[in-house]
Amino acid sequence: MIRISVENLEPGMVLATSIPHPRHSGRALLAAGYVMEPKAIAKLPDYGIKGVWINHPGFDFLDAQVASGIPESRAKLYHDIKRNFTALAKKTAGAFDLQFYRELISQLIQELVKNKDHAVWAERILEEPEELFSHSANVAYLVMILGMSLRNYISHERKYVDKRLAQDLTNLGVGAMLHDVGKVSLRPELRRSHVLDRHEDEDGYRAHAVAGYELLRGRLDSTASGIILHHHQRFDGKGFPEPTCTHMERHPEPLRGHRIHVFCRIVAVANVLDGMMAICDRKGQPKVAALAALQATEIRKMFDPVVFAAAVRSIPPFPVGTCVTLSDGREAVVIDLNPKRPCQPVVQILKRGAGVEDPSGEEMNLAKPGAPSITHENRRPVAKYLYIPPEVITRHIAESYQDEADQATAAFGELLESGTPSGSSSAPAATSGKGEG
């Protein structure tokens, strides 16, 4: 199967996987095997559907590589967040059930672990006027992908916590899911906005971090509630909220660098990335545009460089199954990823109208010298957005990758832009500011 955008769907194409219904949890909008008709194609954009998986001869081997359960898990996550945030906004008695959120994240982790090699499909889900719910679900999904690729770095940063507990991602996921819960009481225009948007009421927007923390204070583990409070802190110290004065420290320094808990640093990247993808969606731009914008100097300095490096390697601009056009004019389908060169994946040439006996063309690694480049994704121009991620990768990230050759090479790397060797004892200790690792 291959993935194509809704605008490129044609009558007669057959769905390879079901499309989860965006408005009814547990239901399919269209079932696998459905033969697309003009009326159905025309209605898909009304439901916020951007792309679908269709059957195509010669690409059956992708069926086992693409995680079929993840779209359903993400849709369920969205609906559950929407229902529970609405209850919190109404201050319904018993609205908050921590165990419920922990189980949601556990289910998502299980789905990602089961499909760890080809789990990533980072298209935003369920665009709706009420952006808060879809944003929270998207950030939780992105954070789980990053957390799984950063387990060793997380353990290193939480060095005062038992390794097994340090690598438990449940509280990271719960905090990510609830990071914007403080927006439930804001005006609709502020609920829909992201950190990169311009806000007429900047103070009102910034208040959501403290409001969310106070709303659930004492009902979450400190690492999860810390995410709600500090997901807008920046690695360069220019984030918010500002630290409060105490009798011990009349003029506290801003939170910066490794003084920010590693969970908050991970959520900060995912939060901005999803905001960028939302902006690109509104402009009709492809996801690669958001990943390219993330690497602007003004944006990069906001983040922990290790987490940033993991993000641009873990979130592919052209996921497996994506239809692309090459600079030599040929059309192809992405069949494998290249973490070191995300914009130069392995593709298989697509022969339009070919018979089952000879369904597809040659396999090509676009990272090899002389290979063509990608110019369009699903017929949208992307050439100006192509990027090369940072060359340096740390030991902690490398150990999370499956490629043993990459691990051996990267184990001696230095922390990106920090000048401190990854194994150095002089690296700053991680802290949440609350004494918890």
Side-chain angles (χ1 to χ4, degrees):
M1 61 181 176
I2 62 177
R3 187 170 177 88
I4 65 173
S5 60
V6 168
E7 56 263 32
N8 291 324
L9 272 175
E10 298 176 4
M13 290 181 171
V14 180
L15 285 180
T17 63
S18 299
I19 303 174
H21 201 297
R23 296 170 189 168
H24 300 285
S25 180
R27 288 174 52 182
L29 183 64
L30 294 174
Y34 178 81
V35 180
M36 297 305 300
E37 300 175 347
K39 287 185 178 179
I41 295 172
K43 288 184 178 179
L44 287 178
D46 296 338
Y47 289 93
I49 308 299
K50 301 290 174 56
V52 299
W53 293 96
I54 63 167
N55 290 325
H56 194 287
F59 290 92
D60 295 340
F61 65 94
L62 292 183
D63 294 4
Q65 297 185 32
V66 176
S68 60
I70 287 179
E72 288 80 6
S73 297
R74 294 182 68 191
K76 182 178 185 302
L77 184 67
Y78 164 82
H79 288 292
D80 288 336
I81 287 174
K82 182 175 183 178
R83 182 170 60 252
N84 282 272
F85 274 32
T86 301
L88 282 170
K90 295 178 179 178
K91 296 182 172 58
T92 303
F96 183 76
D97 181 358
L98 175 59
Q99 186 59 31
F100 170 80
Y101 287 95
R102 292 179 67 87
E103 289 174 358
L104 274 182
I105 292 301
S106 295
Q107 292 168 11
L108 182 58
I109 291 174
Q110 290 171 14
E111 199 66 52
L112 288 170
V113 169
K114 186 170 65 177
N115 301 280
K116 60 184 178 181
D117 292 330
H118 295 277
V120 178
W121 183 264
E123 181 181 86
R124 302 192 80 241
I125 59 170
L126 306 167
E127 275 291 310
E128 283 197 353
E130 188 53 86
E131 166 70 9
L132 174 60
F133 309 132
S134 55
H135 172 65
S136 298
N138 290 326
V139 169
Y141 177 70
L142 291 172
V143 161
M144 287 295 94
I145 293 172
L146 288 177
M148 291 177 69
S149 71
L150 284 166
R151 280 184 183 271
N152 288 282
Y153 181 62
I154 291 172
S155 180
H156 174 267
E157 293 294 275
R158 305 184 72 193
K159 61 184 66 176
Y160 300 112
V161 179
D162 177 80
K163 184 174 182 180
R164 181 181 62 83
L165 294 176
Q167 294 188 347
D168 184 347
L169 303 180
T170 306
N171 284 326
L172 171 61
V174 169
M177 193 165 41
L178 297 168
H179 77 282
D180 269 349
V181 70
K183 287 184 178 180
V184 295
S185 59
L186 297 183
R187 301 193 308 274
E189 62 269 21
L190 290 180
R191 282 203 306 270
R192 290 192 294 268
S193 64
H194 296 281
V195 65
L196 297 178
D197 293 328
R198 292 182 179 179
H199 312 108
E200 291 184 6
D201 182 6
E202 185 68 28
D203 290 338
Y205 173 80
R206 291 189 170 209
H208 78 269
V210 174
Y213 176 74
E214 293 295 341
L215 179 66
L216 298 179
R217 189 174 188 177
R219 294 195 272 181
L220 293 176
D221 183 274
S222 61
T223 52
S225 60
I227 290 171
I228 298 174
L229 182 63
H230 292 306
H231 66 276
H232 283 295
Q233 297 295 350
R234 293 173 40 160
F235 206 70
D236 61 5
K238 296 181 180 179
F240 66 87
E242 296 180 0
T244 55
C245 298
T246 67
H247 69 284
M248 297 289 292
E249 195 174 12
R250 296 276 179 104
H251 302 287
E253 292 187 4
L255 278 181
R256 68 173 74 243
H258 293 265
R259 291 183 62 208
I260 305 168
H261 195 284
V262 66
F263 283 0
C264 303
R265 287 178 257 152
I266 293 171
V267 174
V269 175
N271 183 46
V272 171
L273 177 56
D274 186 68
M276 285 183 163
M277 288 197 286
I279 293 171
C280 288
D281 274 353
R282 292 198 292 263
K283 294 181 177 180
Q285 295 175 336
K287 183 178 65 179
V288 64
L291 286 162
L294 191 71
Q295 299 179 68
T297 302
E298 285 301 307
I299 301 297
R300 283 182 59 174
K301 67 183 183 182
M302 296 166 59
F303 307 129
D304 178 338
V306 176
V307 178
F308 170 81
V312 295
R313 292 169 184 271
S314 302
I315 312 297
F318 305 109
V320 170
T322 304
C323 292
V324 297
T325 303
L326 305 181
S327 56
D328 60 9
R330 292 184 291 178
E331 295 188 336
V333 175
V334 176
I335 62 172
D336 203 2
L337 307 178
N338 182 355
K340 287 188 173 182
R341 294 290 188 273
C343 294
Q344 297 171 299
V346 179
V347 302
Q348 190 164 312
I349 302 302
L350 183 64
K351 290 187 176 180
R352 293 287 184 184
V356 176
E357 296 79 12
D358 183 23
S360 56
E362 65 179 299
E363 182 177 312
M364 185 182 302
N365 185 345
L366 299 185
K368 289 188 175 181
S373 60
I374 295 175
T375 60
H376 293 75
E377 177 223 332
N378 277 305
R379 300 178 186 172
R380 292 185 298 180
V382 297
K384 67 179 180 180
Y385 303 121
L386 302 184
Y387 61 86
I388 298 176
E391 290 290 337
V392 180
I393 182 171
T394 72
R395 168 173 57 89
H396 312 293
I397 299 176
E399 289 173 354
S400 297
Y401 284 119
Q402 301 302 307
D403 190 326
E404 293 182 1
D406 284 350
Q407 289 183 25
T409 302
F412 301 99
E414 295 186 346
L415 291 178
L416 183 63
E417 297 181 350
S418 72
T420 305
S422 58
S424 171
S425 60
S426 63
T431 176
S432 67
K434 296 182 180 294
E436 200 280 344

